[in-house]
Amino acid sequence: MLRIEALGASGIATEGGIGRIADEHGIARSTLRTYVSECGKLYSEARDRAAETGKFRTGKVTVGLLRALEKMGTHRIKSRGGLRVIARNEGIPFRILKSYVDRHGKPTDLGSERILDDGDPTRRATKVPVTPELLRIILRLGASGIRAAGGLRVLADRHNVFLSSLRSHINGKGVLGHLGKRVMKVGRRARIFKISNELLRDIEVSGPRGIKAAGGLAAVARANHVAFDTLRSYIDCRGQLTPLGRVRLYGVDPSHTTKVTPTLLREIQTLGKQGIASEGGLDALASKRGVAPHILRHYVTFSGKLKHPGRITMARFESNNVGALHAPRDSDGLSNAREQA
């Protein structure tokens, strides 16, 4: 993100735009555009992520931590360096913590809901999933109707669903998100069947011409009532099996016994895009190193860039070797808060 910001509008245009940069780094275009504008401006969440030191953070925002912050109040939070420093000491990404509490330590709507749900196991057990019927009700309300009803928090309580789950489906203006659109598709659940080995063999035999004649792989998925994203993970649009597809049909290659290690990931990073190409591609490189190609793809892109699991593996390795210091305990119970439910 910082490199894209440094490029600026002219540099991004020279590279072919944000979409082209996303493709080169193995990132979904829609994901990158939520962080950076076409002219290289970082959005608020991107600035928060860029401000992180890159240290491996997996701490969860617990009810104990939320209560401790609320008890501390504005002045004591400031005396400890602010919410960002507290998040760093607790091993929690700042952008996540600030979605639960404001800079004064007061819980947000999401934070209050977290305290209610996690603080009372019986309440959590009664929650129901977000349904198409509920989404239709909120869509009919519209932005003004949602405000008049008290916002998504009140609607979530009224219909006994998690606020975080409802927010992932629809926003406060009544606009459906990606997950909400999927749920609203009529008969979506009834159309999804398991992908059989016979279907994969039929597509492989039909080849590129057969797939094209059928209207493409997406049309083949619809005709066979299977999820397109899942089908594409087994076979590509040319009718060639992916490494995962080959494992599905023919089993695991007995020579693939090596695990993906930090040393291998560092080697692939060093090779880069050209080095991987000289090895015959990522799948060929994996086979030479005795690693299952579909597992290696989970960690790195075809150009050698680390994906999220790869970055976590490397961060853990570096953290264990460096011997990162833990935050000291204090009287406010922040260091113990992560242990509380």
Side-chain angles (χ1 to χ4, degrees):
M1 290 188 295
L2 292 174
R3 287 201 298 269
I4 295 172
E5 185 182 32
L7 284 173
S10 58
I12 291 172
T14 304
E15 292 285 336
I18 286 290
R20 184 67 178 273
I21 293 173
D23 293 341
E24 289 178 355
H25 289 81
I27 303 168
R29 296 186 177 197
S30 57
T31 301
L32 186 58
R33 286 194 175 105
T34 61
Y35 293 105
V36 191
S37 70
E38 291 289 344
C39 61
K41 179 183 177 182
L42 297 185
Y43 298 129
S44 59
E45 186 174 353
R47 287 196 297 271
D48 290 338
R49 290 193 64 176
E52 297 282 343
T53 59
K55 183 181 175 182
F56 181 58
R57 305 185 195 285
T58 58
K60 292 183 178 180
V61 180
T62 63
V63 173
L65 175 59
L66 293 178
R67 286 174 177 160
L69 289 171
E70 188 175 18
K71 189 183 295 184
M72 287 174 67
T74 308
H75 298 298
R76 295 175 73 184
I77 288 175
K78 283 185 178 179
S79 68
R80 294 186 176 277
L83 205 60
R84 189 185 296 274
V85 174
I86 290 174
R88 183 165 61 247
N89 291 338
E90 292 296 312
I92 299 168
F94 171 62
R95 65 186 185 278
I96 294 178
L97 182 59
K98 76 173 187 177
S99 69
Y100 287 96
V101 293
D102 62 18
R103 59 192 180 90
H104 306 293
K106 183 180 178 181
T108 61
D109 285 350
L110 198 61
S112 299
E113 195 76 8
R114 181 69 176 271
I115 292 172
L116 286 172
D117 293 336
D118 288 358
D120 183 2
T122 57
R123 173 185 167 88
R124 189 176 184 87
T126 61
K127 293 293 183 181
V128 298
V130 177
T131 61
E133 291 73 22
L134 173 57
L135 293 179
R136 290 190 190 99
I137 292 171
I138 298 175
L139 283 172
R140 283 196 294 269
L141 288 174
S144 58
I146 292 171
R147 285 195 302 271
L152 287 182
R153 180 184 178 185
V154 174
L155 289 170
D157 286 338
R158 185 179 301 166
H159 294 278
N160 207 27
V161 298
F162 288 113
L163 175 61
S164 57
S165 178
L166 185 59
R167 279 185 169 179
S168 67
H169 288 77
I170 193 168
N171 65 19
K173 296 180 180 179
V175 179
L176 289 173
H178 177 67
L179 190 57
K181 291 176 182 176
R182 290 185 61 190
V183 171
M184 288 294 288
K185 286 183 179 178
V186 180
R188 170 181 162 268
R189 291 185 180 275
R191 289 205 315 266
I192 302 301
F193 294 135
K194 289 185 178 180
I195 296 172
S196 64
N197 291 348
E198 290 72 21
L199 175 60
L200 293 179
R201 291 191 184 97
D202 290 344
I203 298 173
E204 186 181 21
V205 170
S206 64
R209 291 184 179 180
I211 294 172
K212 188 175 181 180
L217 195 62
V220 172
R222 284 194 299 271
N224 289 275
H225 310 296
V226 297
F228 170 63
D229 290 341
T230 307
L231 181 62
R232 192 171 55 178
S233 69
Y234 290 115
I235 197 163
D236 62 24
C237 297
R238 296 169 296 173
Q240 296 180 355
L241 292 171
T242 64
L244 189 60
R246 288 196 292 273
V247 170
R248 171 74 182 269
L249 287 182
Y250 308 115
V252 179
D253 189 326
S255 66
H256 296 159
T257 57
T258 307
K259 292 184 178 180
V260 177
T261 62
T263 305
L264 176 60
L265 294 178
R266 189 177 285 117
E267 178 189 350
I268 293 172
Q269 277 186 296
T270 304
L271 284 172
K273 190 174 183 179
Q274 294 181 345
I276 293 172
S278 66
E279 292 272 353
L282 190 63
D283 294 351
L285 187 149
S287 296
K288 289 177 184 177
R289 303 299 189 276
V291 179
H294 71 282
I295 295 179
L296 185 59
R297 280 187 182 189
H298 184 63
Y299 291 88
V300 293
T301 67
F302 290 105
S303 60
K305 302 291 183 181
L306 292 180
K307 293 183 179 178
H308 183 62
R311 292 194 295 271
I312 288 178
T313 300
M314 291 301 296
R316 280 177 176 161
F317 176 75
E318 292 168 1
S319 177
N320 290 337
N321 281 274
V322 170
L325 296 176
H326 295 288
R329 297 180 180 272
D330 54 58
S331 58
D332 294 310
L334 288 177
S335 56
N336 293 325
R338 65 171 68 94
E339 300 174 2
Q340 300 178 21

